[in-house]
Amino acid sequence: MKKMIALGMAVSMCLSMTACSVSVAPQETTAAAAATTAAAETTEKAAEALQETEAATEAAGSELVATADYPTKPLTMIIPYGAGGTTDIWGRKLAAMLEKYLGQSITVTNQGGASGSIGSQFVKEQPSDGYTLLVCAESMGTYRTMNICDLGYDDFTVISPLVGDPKVLVVGKDSKYNTLEELLDDIKANPGKITMSHSGPGGSGHNQGLVLGELGYEVAMTSFDSGNDALLGVIGGQVDFTNPNISTLGGYIESGDVKPLAVFASERMEAYPDIPAFTETVPESEKYLNIPYTLLSFVVNNGTPQEAVDVLKAAAQKVFADPEWTEFVKANAADPVFEKYTDDASIQAFYDNWKSITCWLQYDNGVAEKSPEEFGIKRIGE
Amino acid sequence: MSEMGMLSVLDGRFVLMVLLGSVAGLFVGAIPGLSVSMATALLISITYTWEHSDALAMIMGVYVVGVFSGAVSAILINIPGAPSSVVTTLDGYPMAKKGQAYKALYTATIYSFMGSLFGLVALGLLATPVSRVALKFTKMDYFLLALFGLATVGSVSTKNYAKGLISVMLGLVISMIGLDPLMGTKRLTFGIQNLTGGINTVPALVGFFGFAEVLTVIYNRKQEQNVLTMEKSNISLREVLKHWKLSLYMSTIGMLVGALPGAGGPVASFIAYNEAKRLVKQPQVPFGEGAVEGIMASESSNNACIGGALIPMLTLAVPGDAVTAIILSVFYVHGLQPGPMFLTKSPDAFYAILAAGFIACFALLALGLLVAPRICRVITIPKNIMIPVVTCLCVIGAFACNNRLFDVGLMFAFGLIGFLMRRFDYPVAPLILAMVLGKMMDSNFRQAVSLASSADHPFLFTFGHWTTALLLLCTLAVILGNIPWTRPYVEKIRGIFRRR
Amino acid sequence: MKRKIHSLIVEGILFCGSGLALLSYSLTSYANAFNKNWGQSPYLFPLIVSLAMLGLSVWIIGEGILAMKKESGEAVAPQKGSSKQTLWVVTALVLCLVYYGALAVLKLPRITVGILGFSFLFSTFEIVTVLFLVAMMAFLGVRKWTVLVFVPLGTTLFLSIAFRTLLHVLLP
């Protein structure tokens, strides 16, 4: 036992030393890692991206937005979903970039489970000191009506909406459907027989299935473990179609495993101009498609000192202006929601509108358990 | 092409990183209560700011050696380091009790090495085809695979099949506690907020094995000797290596099961153990009483899972087990995009992983052989000193996985249940496996039902696929073959097939 | 003397009871759920498990009856432990509960000590653990005072350094 202890200690010491020697120069390594990220994303622009990031890092040194009182210690960011999902990717990217402007490290922790409610609940229970950040997905707006937990956007102070991740209707490469019309016609002909997989009840994928239903296209929906799982079901030929986020889909379009039929929005995407917008085929869907269904938001607890909120908002704006961030947004073909809503009033209006469309959509279709009225969510147009 | 990639990463720094990871993996993994996933999670936070080849090197070291080191505590003190080492306790601990701890560790080292190597070779050569096969697995297949695993456990770990299955059911009930995996509805939480998140595997593992062992030792303390002795014996490599053919078979099982996301090491090792029991007709020592074949099967297959689990992670961005889920996040942090284009887009990262894996295999071999003769002296520590220390380790292990004392309380409760189960001859191993698999079985079963409900012929839709039919047959054969009333018929059918 | 009931039968009845409890739980929960569709219902799986459990409990009871017939009353239950043995286990459990309670309730001040450039933090966990280890060893019959003093101290120091300082596990 003694020898074991001694050995253990020796090893542990070695470990801690490496840890120290590495942490001496975190700035450079972060920049290098960030540069690698950019390079991997956009090969052709790698060189410029590198230069830009370097420039940005240099500038960042003098652009710290931190004040004397905040932040004075490392922060924690909670991602209420598992590693590798959309929320995780964006949350980690945001954290890595916020570090530059806050001058403190941010530890990113995944606390997945139950549509993100477990991680969100955890954040809610933390002190409102601005040291616990949360990057949440759109399900935050529907926890109450879905009777998952008693949380909503109004429990948190929104620092900024982040990005929307456009959803694309896809079928497997061997599917008999080649265009959206063919698929929709078949759904009309066989109501309730065409299968669709989605990422989970109340999630963005499910909401879109409901929109299809509202438009008169009845599909058989099955809830899968995650968006990626739903996509693999289509690739494996077990399900007819699904609607993954473009960020998880990118590689599969490139490898030819799936056929993208339409982007579930009113406009085509910049990065994939060949994929038609859903409204081009079904113009009457316009009223449902003017909001991003997948929406990430960067929030902190209510009651966080105004000073901390201001610092975080300023830091977030700096991040959004950083070329490294804009490159990342472009590389992932994300919808830059953060550009559209910058002041408090428009953010508030945006979330109210979002809630009323989604919650009523779910309630009317028997997905949500409780009426949105209970929580003071008005029907749109009322 | 691959050699070029290999050579370019074979510099000193890279090797050093792998070695560091290996040593860390060995020690963190060998501490009861700290599993390999815990080790990766703890060490990974350091690597976020590193260059990605360094980070990958370190993580592969932790992963490969960490999976092996779970066997160390399994053999020496009957507390498996991770669910995948549960099977190792079945024969490992009895061997240690007989004073053959060194032989057990030696066998575990050799076959862990072979298993890891096999898995990684498969990863290097067969990544794409295997991922294609994995894609063909339907929801029902995953459910049946898990069920098959559970059915075999019931049979391998006890003489009374019904007791084994009862233990499985208890595990499934425990896995149901918390929010259900598909809808997020609270189940069996009885209004206790702490139960909402479900019950973590670590407190259960530590409780059912570790603390239950503590109580059992205390219960029997006047009947068993306080100090175990060690047999001084020379072990010949030839003697140990004579099962290499079987080991290849077990590794294949491990690699394939590992490649199916969600099942992973625990299922692989149980299936392999069952196969070993079936194929080795006359072991020198009966299975369950210290057969080296048991350790061989378990360790070959759970280490081969490493290479297997990396396949869906790299090619489909689906983590095969808890550790690969953590590794996946490292990939994203370093801007690597796993997915169908990963092998063509980032071949250097792929070769770095392979190279690190191979180095880690040799590190495992070296560390295992170096540490085994020393670490197995642990069992010569008098029990009345060891037991209190083990209790403390159990407490820390249960606490560390989620940083809440509630888990420590759970661990004590599980320990008491585990102790009572042992007293009444109920095996705990099936319970742990069922707990690990419960959520996955639940969601896959419901998804299969939901998918079938819209089909024209639900039954044909669900079981019409050849993999599904095959798995269904295997599962039924195992279950019926173990029920006393149906066993004769199953034997008869088997006889018919054999005569052909 | 009354004929002893085989322990398998008792166990079977116990599991039968829990199976029934689970069955009624899943059925009533399903009845109260707003979304009535067994296909994706969260209570489908508990239902199946409870049915399987009922089947198994019948099997076990059956085996118990068979065994009783065969051995006609001869108890095959695991050899009955002496009440002394049970007392030991209970004492150990009580010790552990006290330990748990101390960890949960006590909030001792944190003391930071710097040695060789490392800073060690001592808090509730360290002190309570040392006491617990001493108590447990004394209970298990360790009488050498050197062992009683140095092993707990050494173990605690090692655990504290390994977990708190190096692995950043948040100890209580």
Side-chain angles (χ1 to χ4, degrees):
Chain A
M1 189 66 191
K2 265 185 197 151
K3 271 189 183 161
M4 187 178 151
I5 293 173
L7 259 172
M9 276 173 78
V11 170
S12 319
M13 300 244 175
C14 294
L15 267 177
S16 70
M17 279 176 192
T18 39
C20 293
S21 66
V22 170
S23 60
V24 172
Q27 283 294 322
E28 284 89 335
T29 29
T30 321
T36 357
T37 318
E41 305 297 315
T42 50
T43 22
E44 77 269 38
K45 288 194 176 169
E48 290 129 284
L50 189 74
Q51 281 169 354
E52 274 166 2
T53 11
E54 273 171 1
T57 330
E58 274 166 34
S62 57
E63 283 189 36
L64 276 184
V65 291
T67 61
D69 297 325
Y70 179 87
T72 52
K73 59 177 186 186
L75 298 91
T76 309
M77 177 186 280
I78 302 292
I79 309 278
Y81 292 89
T86 312
T87 320
D88 187 53
I89 301 172
W90 284 96
R92 285 185 189 276
K93 186 73 193 170
L94 178 70
M97 296 200 59
L98 275 177
E99 282 181 352
K100 277 203 293 197
Y101 298 105
L102 292 176
Q104 287 287 349
S105 68
I106 301 178
T107 316
V108 182
T109 310
N110 294 88
Q111 274 200 328
S115 305
S117 64
I118 292 174
S120 309
Q121 189 70 44
F122 174 80
V123 172
K124 191 72 214 162
E125 286 158 12
Q126 298 306 302
S128 306
D129 54 5
Y131 285 96
T132 312
L133 316 173
L134 174 69
V135 170
C136 64
E138 71 286 344
S139 51
M140 176 66 83
T142 54
Y143 285 150
R144 287 181 188 150
T145 46
M146 294 289 290
N147 200 16
I148 290 174
C149 69
D150 193 30
L151 285 176
Y153 279 119
D154 45 9
D155 283 307
F156 297 93
T157 306
V158 178
I159 301 295
S160 172
L162 289 176
V163 288
D165 203 348
K167 296 228 149 213
V168 181
L169 262 173
V170 297
V171 293
K173 67 172 171 196
D174 303 322
S175 169
K176 57 181 172 178
Y177 311 112
N178 287 311
T179 61
L180 184 61
E181 284 94 343
E182 288 174 27
L183 176 67
L184 291 177
D185 289 346
D186 205 25
I187 296 176
K188 271 270 194 248
N190 302 296
K193 287 288 171 199
I194 311 300
T195 52
M196 166 189 165
S197 52
H198 62 80
S199 53
S204 51
H206 192 193
N207 289 342
Q208 282 173 46
L210 297 180
V211 169
L212 284 179
E214 291 275 295
L215 295 168
Y217 301 103
E218 209 185 304
V219 291
M221 287 184 274
T222 295
S223 163
F224 274 47
D225 298 343
S226 67
N228 195 12
D229 188 36
L231 178 60
L232 294 180
V234 166
I235 296 172
Q238 300 158 37
V239 188
D240 292 323
F241 76 101
T242 186
N243 50 358
N245 298 341
I246 191 73
S247 61
T248 46
L249 187 65
Y252 294 98
I253 293 183
E254 222 173 310
S255 68
D257 281 310
V258 294
K259 288 188 280 193
L261 298 185
V263 53
F264 210 74
S266 46
E267 291 162 19
R268 291 187 180 215
M269 289 175 290
E270 232 176 88
Y272 297 92
D274 298 338
I275 305 176
F278 194 80
T279 44
E280 290 171 30
T281 316
V282 191
E284 65 270 27
S285 62
E286 180 70 41
K287 66 172 173 172
Y288 293 107
L289 296 185
N290 57 4
I291 54 163
Y293 277 90
T294 314
L295 171 70
L296 301 182
S297 313
F298 172 32
V299 302
V300 291
N301 261 349
N302 271 350
T304 302
Q306 191 56 41
E307 193 197 352
V309 173
D310 289 342
V311 167
L312 286 172
K313 282 196 173 171
Q317 289 310 323
K318 290 253 181 193
V319 169
F320 299 151
D322 194 314
E324 187 189 335
W325 174 266
T326 41
E327 277 300 323
F328 194 72
V329 171
K330 223 185 252 174
N332 281 294
D335 180 6
V337 184
F338 58 87
E339 282 176 359
K340 298 176 196 158
Y341 310 96
T342 46
D343 60 300
D344 291 350
S346 68
I347 290 179
Q348 187 61 39
F350 168 70
Y351 279 103
D352 284 345
N353 180 40
W354 193 93
K355 266 193 290 194
S356 65
I357 293 186
T358 329
C359 290
W360 281 105
L361 182 68
Q362 294 183 342
Y363 184 67
D364 291 343
N365 284 284
V367 173
E369 182 169 350
K370 296 186 175 173
S371 165
E373 242 162 13
E374 275 181 52
F375 306 103
I377 300 168
K378 292 208 170 66
R379 223 176 242 284
I380 193 153
E382 264 179 31
Chain B
M1 185 181 77
S2 76
E3 274 106 313
M4 284 297 289
M6 293 281 174
L7 285 177
S8 65
V9 289
L10 264 182
D11 55 61
R13 187 183 162 80
F14 188 80
V15 175
L16 187 74
M17 284 295 167
V18 181
L19 288 181
L20 267 175
S22 308
V23 174
L26 180 68
F27 281 92
V28 179
I31 297 172
L34 291 194
S35 59
V36 54
S37 46
M38 185 84 188
T40 349
L42 286 172
L43 292 165
I44 248 163
S45 56
I46 316 172
T47 67
Y48 278 151
T49 49
W50 297 6
E51 246 180 77
H52 76 255
S53 69
D54 286 357
L56 290 178
M58 177 101 166
I59 289 157
M60 283 306 290
V62 176
Y63 189 16
V64 172
V65 182
V67 170
F68 154 72
S69 71
V72 175
S73 53
I75 291 171
L76 295 179
I77 42 180
N78 202 13
I79 306 176
S84 56
S85 316
V86 164
V87 182
T88 313
T89 59
L90 297 180
D91 283 298
Y93 188 60
M95 277 182 85
K97 267 186 164 171
K98 287 181 192 164
Q100 297 170 330
Y102 179 54
K103 190 176 171 196
L105 277 178
Y106 190 84
T107 314
T109 309
I110 298 287
Y111 286 108
S112 289
F113 168 72
M114 287 185 57
S116 310
L117 211 58
F118 181 90
L120 287 165
V121 169
L123 169 68
L125 299 176
L126 302 171
T128 314
V130 169
S131 75
R132 292 286 127 182
V133 173
L135 267 180
K136 286 291 164 207
F137 266 62
T138 64
K139 294 283 165 188
M140 196 34 116
D141 291 341
Y142 282 109
F143 172 76
L144 286 173
L145 180 74
L147 193 66
F148 178 60
L150 293 181
T152 56
V153 188
S155 70
V156 296
S157 49
T158 172
K159 290 192 184 74
N160 188 333
Y161 192 47
K163 287 191 170 182
L165 287 188
I166 282 277
S167 174
V168 165
M169 294 305 151
L170 289 179
L172 289 179
V173 173
I174 293 177
S175 80
M176 279 173 212
I177 296 174
L179 295 167
D180 91 276
L182 276 188
M183 304 285 191
T185 315
K186 285 177 192 165
R187 284 190 308 197
L188 294 169
T189 55
F190 308 109
I192 302 169
Q193 183 61 38
N194 272 326
L195 283 179
T196 312
I199 290 176
N200 203 310
T201 322
V202 176
L205 193 67
V206 174
F208 278 114
F209 280 92
F211 194 58
E213 174 72 20
V214 167
L215 292 179
T216 312
V217 169
I218 292 176
Y219 190 82
N220 295 330
R221 75 184 168 117
K222 287 281 142 73
Q223 287 149 25
E224 278 179 25
Q225 74 249 56
N226 192 23
V227 183
L228 288 177
T229 45
M230 283 253 299
E231 212 171 74
K232 258 274 182 231
S233 62
N234 286 327
I235 300 150
S236 75
L237 188 61
R238 186 185 294 265
E239 174 73 18
V240 172
L241 269 179
K242 75 177 178 195
H243 300 295
W244 68 272
K245 275 184 200 151
L246 262 182
S247 163
L248 282 184
Y249 175 52
M250 301 308 163
S251 303
T252 316
I253 294 179
M255 191 274 290
L256 290 176
V257 176
L260 298 170
V267 178
S269 55
F270 273 110
I271 294 178
Y273 189 81
N274 191 41
E275 283 299 287
K277 215 172 166 180
R278 196 173 61 87
L279 292 173
V280 183
K281 285 278 180 271
Q282 266 133 3
Q284 287 168 335
V285 188
F287 280 95
E289 292 170 27
V292 279
E293 291 86 352
I295 297 180
M296 179 278 293
S298 162
E299 287 304 311
S300 307
S301 60
N302 71 19
N303 272 280
C305 263
I306 297 171
L310 284 169
I311 293 176
M313 195 209 91
L314 295 176
T315 57
L316 304 170
V318 180
D321 60 9
V323 184
T324 38
I326 301 166
I327 299 181
L328 194 61
S329 74
V330 178
F331 271 64
Y332 286 115
V333 167
H334 289 285
L336 298 167
Q337 286 271 356
M341 301 305 285
F342 181 76
L343 298 192
T344 38
K345 259 188 172 175
S346 330
D348 48 336
F350 180 60
Y351 292 127
I353 290 172
L354 274 182
F358 285 124
I359 299 170
C361 284
F362 288 97
L364 186 164
L365 190 65
L367 281 172
L369 296 180
L370 199 73
V371 169
R374 288 164 186 82
I375 210 169
C376 64
R377 297 230 177 91
V378 164
I379 62 160
T380 60
I381 298 175
K383 280 203 173 140
N384 52 13
I385 295 177
M386 196 62 199
I387 286 297
V389 175
V390 169
T391 315
C392 278
L393 285 171
C394 291
V395 169
I396 294 185
F399 183 82
C401 71
N402 234 344
N403 294 329
R404 32 173 222 184
L405 267 176
F406 179 75
D407 286 330
V408 178
L410 273 183
M411 186 275 289
F412 283 134
F414 286 145
L416 184 60
I417 299 174
F419 165 69
L420 292 175
M421 283 173 68
R422 280 196 203 185
R423 288 270 300 130
F424 290 96
D425 263 347
Y426 287 84
V428 278
L431 190 150
I432 296 290
L433 183 70
M435 232 192 106
V436 175
L437 294 177
K439 283 234 152 69
M440 166 216 167
M441 287 177 74
D442 187 355
S443 62
N444 279 302
F445 182 71
R446 280 153 61 190
Q447 284 157 355
V449 171
S450 169
L451 282 176
S453 61
S454 63
D456 294 328
H457 306 284
F459 191 79
L460 206 66
F461 176 86
T462 313
F463 297 104
H465 200 252
W466 67 269
T467 46
T468 324
L470 190 72
L471 275 166
L472 187 67
L473 276 178
C474 290
T475 316
L476 283 178
V478 170
I479 295 179
L480 296 178
N482 277 294
I483 299 178
W485 307 294
T486 48
R487 188 181 291 144
Y489 303 103
V490 177
E491 296 291 327
K492 236 180 240 168
I493 297 171
R494 275 205 189 134
I496 295 169
F497 275 103
R498 234 168 254 153
R499 245 171 275 145
R500 281 190 189 172
Chain C
M1 199 180 128
K2 242 169 59 182
R3 226 174 95 177
K4 219 171 141 38
I5 296 173
H6 198 279
S7 79
L8 273 177
I9 298 182
V10 182
E11 290 157 30
I13 291 170
L14 185 75
F15 291 123
C16 188
S18 21
L20 281 176
L22 189 65
L23 181 72
S24 58
Y25 175 83
S26 51
L27 287 179
T28 49
S29 304
Y30 178 73
N32 293 331
F34 83 108
N35 201 347
K36 296 263 189 317
N37 170 16
W38 274 118
Q40 294 236 310
S41 165
Y43 305 107
L44 176 66
F45 197 61
L47 184 81
I48 293 173
V49 170
S50 70
L51 292 178
M53 221 155 143
L54 285 177
L56 286 171
S57 61
V58 171
W59 179 355
I60 285 200
I61 294 175
E63 278 196 358
I65 293 173
L66 279 182
M68 261 174 83
K69 271 188 189 152
K70 221 182 260 169
E71 286 145 42
S72 59
E74 190 188 322
V76 226
Q79 79 278 22
K80 201 139 166 61
S82 65
S83 55
K84 212 167 158 196
Q85 281 175 307
T86 319
L87 192 71
W88 288 336
V89 171
V90 171
T91 320
L93 274 176
V94 168
L95 268 177
C96 291
L97 280 183
V98 170
Y99 181 40
Y100 175 68
L103 285 181
V105 177
L106 287 183
K107 291 268 180 300
L108 295 178
R110 303 186 153 226
I111 311 154
T112 314
V113 184
I115 307 165
L116 296 170
F118 288 96
S119 66
F120 299 109
L121 207 151
F122 294 100
S123 185
T124 323
F125 174 78
E126 280 76 6
I127 294 156
V128 178
T129 303
V130 169
L131 293 178
F132 169 74
L133 283 173
V134 173
M136 194 83 169
M137 282 183 192
F139 163 63
L140 288 175
V142 179
R143 288 292 171 263
K144 266 196 208 151
W145 71 270
T146 40
V147 175
L148 273 178
V149 170
F150 288 109
V151 172
L153 280 179
T155 316
T156 312
L157 196 68
F158 168 69
L159 292 177
S160 178
I161 293 172
F163 288 90
R164 205 195 283 277
T165 315
L166 292 175
L167 295 175
H168 301 288
V169 170
L170 304 160
L171 295 177

